[in-house]
Amino acid sequence: MILSLNTPLDMHLHLREGTMMQNVAPISAACFAGAVIMPNLISPVDTLQKLFNYREDIEKVCKNEIFEPYMTLFFKPYPREFLEEVREHIIGIKLYPAGITTQSESGVTDFNMIEPTLAIMEELQIPLLVHGESDGFVLDREREFLVVYRRIVENFPVLHVIMEHITTADSVSFVDEHDTVSATVTLHHLMITLDDVIGGLMQPHLFCKPIAKKPRDLQALRDAVFMGHPRIMFGSDSAPHPQHKKECVGCAAGVFTAPVAMPLLAQIFEEADRLDCLQGFVSDVACKRYAITPPAKTIELENKPYRVPTLFNNVRPFFAGETLRWSIRSPARI
Ligand code: DOR
Ligand code: ZN
């Protein structure tokens, strides 16, 4: 059986820089028509020059593929003139609470300070992408952050807010209740719970922020995605770290899913008997919500076994060494 997908998009992707980018970017560029590129570099993407340089670096590394990098800016209190200038070069601005995850130290410390910038973003129709976690107890962080989301949605009723990588049943309900709110869901959060991370022997390669939650949360995410939710889209949050930064004391957060994203999505949608919803989840919802038209590109998947390499240079992927039921037929694997 062959499955054709039109302009698949990864609406939340970490490409890093330098040799790591050279290692991982071509993998996503081969099987997606575009991706929303996260700005949490060692020096965050917070000026026009950094944005242009980063985009150019990505384009250079991905020059053999049809691949649109949808750039984001790291949220800071920005003045109007800057937002007017940067607007046409970005798909949105990504807000991180300070210190909540990898390279987010210069994120927001005081949520009372964000409103003037949000008012201008709302007016200029710049979407707000959010890493929504408080600094509370790890399993409560996403739920506690809903207070912040609620305030934003109430004070800025036409701002497009994207709740990134949601992991809880409460977040799904919040999306359900607010028409101006969209959400991304990762592959791994559709497959694992906290038990898979720490219920047996500890699995550092499944450790990420936000951490995977309870079975009822997993079920709520799957229910929403498999019913073809009109505001929930795929964002892998594929976040590569070198093996020595994962298999150590102080393991870095992030799951590297880029090489297996499309085959595993096909597998879980097939298992749920909802292959009919896959096109919407990996492209159509995002195109509609963000009002984007990605470059023409079709990906073909085929139900032929694919053995996942254990390492992509020094990065270990999700499902390393395992055999998947679906493989990418075209474009051919690089
Ligand atoms: O697990 C994560 N890794 N969550 C994030 O929010 C950031 C990401 C990274 O950049 O490594
Ligand atoms: Zn991320």
Side-chain angles (χ1 to χ4, degrees), residues 12 14 16 38 40 94 96 100-104 131 133 165 188-189 207-211 237-241 246 252-255:
H12 183 131
H14 296 271
R16 316 296 192 207
M38 289 299 125
N40 62 330
K94 173 76 187 285
Y96 289 93
I100 202 67
T101 189
T102 311
Q103 286 155 206
S104 61
H131 183 119
E133 288 194 285
H165 42 53
H188 47 289
H189 290 126
F207 172 64
C208 63
K209 303 283 181 74
I211 194 89
D237 199 15
S238 179
H241 292 278
K246 293 292 288 178
V255 185

Side-chain angles (χ1 to χ4, degrees), residues 22-41:
Q22 286 167 20
N23 181 24
V24 301
I27 297 169
S28 291
C31 52
F32 290 93
V36 173
I37 312 299
M38 289 299 125
N40 62 330
L41 306 184

